[in-house]
Every structure is written in C-alpha cells, then in structure tokens.
Amino acid sequence: MRRHRLIAAAGAAVFATCLATASPALAAQAPTVAPTPTATDCTDQAFTTSGRVVEGRTAIPWNYFIVAQAGTITACLDGPDGADFDLVLRHFATGGLKTVATSSGDEDVKTLSYEGVPGAYRVELVATAGSGTYTAGVTFP
C-alpha cells in the first residue's frame, strides 16, 4: 500500500494526490463548481469512480478528500437496478468520524448536498440489500 504525505493545503491538489493511488486518470481532473444534485448517472460530478459492493458491506471509493474552503459538497451514487444502496458523507472531526449527510431510499440513483467546512471528508456506500456494481461521484469547492 502506498502512502502519501500531504504537504499542500490546496483542496483539489491534495485530493488529486490522494486519488492517484486509486486511479491516475482521476488525478488529472480539476474540480468544478458544485452542481445542484440531480438523479443522473453521476458523470456530472468532478470526480467519479466505479466499483462493486456486496450486500451487507460498505464500500469506500476514496479513502478521504480534503476540502480547502467552505462550500457545497455534492455526492452521487448510481447503483444497480433492484439493489438498495445508501450514500453517506462523513467528516473527520475532532471527536472522530461524524456522519454529516445521508441519502437513502429505493431509488437506484442517490444524491446528497452538504454545506461543508474545510477539512477531510469520506464518501461511503452501504449495500443494505442486493449486490452489484456502482458509479460514485463527488464535487467540492
């Protein structure tokens, strides 16, 4: 496992550095202004990734990302038909990892929006029923 020492404080640069281990193609993308969350296939987000999660398990598409300034964080999850996946945004706070926003329900596509403060965040995907592949996306200031 490769570890990165975070030196820069610029949100996109640090996030791109953290993503480089998972997918070099993502590191080249620059973040954009946060769009209003809509039920799409998540490709309108600044950073996207795909994977697979099994029922009863949690997937963490990115270990964490750094938000350098306050603003809107949006996340999107496009899960398989018939499965029930939940989308969770967590913030690394002084007292530990805190859930700050969730999106659940029967829809295949879940979105959330959160007015965040600077800091480290993580997106989690919880497979409450069913298994399969997903596409996840995130955009932040």
Side-chain angles (χ1 to χ4, degrees):
M1 173 166 57
R2 288 171 57 184
R3 297 191 185 266
H4 295 283
R5 201 171 106 196
L6 301 177
I7 299 171
V14 174
F15 184 59
T17 301
C18 296
L19 286 179
T21 302
S23 175
L26 291 177
Q29 296 178 359
T32 60
V33 175
T36 303
T38 57
T40 66
D41 61 0
C42 300
T43 57
D44 58 342
Q45 299 291 318
F47 298 95
T48 59
T49 190
S50 296
R52 179 171 172 73
V53 66
V54 177
E55 182 175 349
R57 301 288 184 147
T58 298
I60 302 171
W62 304 280
N63 287 334
Y64 62 93
F65 57 93
I66 305 294
V67 174
Q69 61 188 12
T72 304
I73 301 168
T74 60
C76 179
L77 166 63
D78 184 5
D81 292 339
D84 184 13
F85 290 5
D86 294 338
L87 177 63
V88 180
L89 179 65
R90 299 182 61 143
H91 179 241
F92 289 90
T94 308
L97 198 57
K98 306 287 183 188
T99 299
V100 294
T102 61
S103 180
S104 59
D106 294 335
E107 311 85 35
D108 294 334
V109 177
K110 310 266 187 344
T111 58
L112 62 81
S113 181
Y114 175 72
E115 289 300 317
V117 297
Y121 291 84
R122 177 165 77 190
V123 172
E124 296 179 2
L125 315 174
V126 182
T128 56
S131 302
T133 59
Y134 64 83
T135 299
V138 67
T139 300
F140 55 93

